Amino acid sequence: MSDPVARTGVVLAHGTMAVGLVDAVRHIAGSAADALVPLSNEGLSPEDVQARIEEAAGEGAAIVFVDLQAGSCCTAALASCRACADRIVVTGVNLPMLLDFVFNRGLPFEELEQRLVDRGRSAIRPVSADRTPAG
């Protein structure tokens, strides 16, 4: 198992979404959320976004979480990963996915990547006042 301190999560989204998600993780998870770096594409060129991703990810292993599968955030994230074997992109970021990341970021990349996708998907379900959500 790799060192959980070395793995960074870069949360990249339009507007202030990334800041809000990381703030929510900090309120729930405390200092474990220090592994997350929020970034916005607001007012930045694709090259500037890519440079900020590379700066935030640093030299260690990183996962870049983006809001949408297509668009400028994902394009910049994919460009930043081309030369880095230990950096991946996960789209459709949500709060349960980020919480799972901060508590399990020491898992091997392949296992963590699938776990995060599964967790993000499983958190999406209809819930109404007259029925209990399926677990």
Side-chain angles (χ1 to χ4, degrees):
M1 187 179 297
S2 60
D3 181 3
V5 177
R7 183 146 318 137
T8 301
V10 178
V11 183
L12 174 62
H14 293 80
T16 60
M17 180 179 172
V19 171
L21 282 168
V22 172
D23 183 58
V25 174
R26 284 192 178 112
H27 278 83
I28 296 167
S31 64
D34 291 345
L36 296 173
V37 179
L39 295 178
S40 173
N41 70 338
E42 193 168 348
L44 300 175
S45 70
E47 296 79 17
D48 290 339
V49 173
Q50 183 178 342
R52 293 218 178 153
I53 293 167
E54 291 168 5
E55 180 181 333
E59 297 294 321
I63 296 180
V64 183
F65 297 94
V66 296
D67 52 1
L68 297 171
Q69 185 175 358
S72 60
C73 290
C74 190
T75 301
L78 290 170
S80 80
C81 293
R82 283 194 184 103
C84 298
D86 59 351
R87 190 179 302 163
I88 60 173
V89 177
V90 176
T91 65
V93 64
N94 61 31
L95 187 57
M97 181 188 294
L98 292 177
L99 287 166
D100 200 72
F101 169 76
V102 298
F103 291 121
N104 296 290
R105 65 186 187 268
L107 294 173
F109 248 6
E110 297 77 21
E111 184 180 339
L112 181 60
E113 179 181 23
Q114 189 58 54
R115 179 187 176 99
L116 295 173
V117 169
D118 292 344
R119 183 62 185 117
R121 283 185 186 139
S122 72
I124 300 169
R125 64 183 71 209
V127 178
S128 65
D130 61 332
R131 71 177 185 201
T132 304

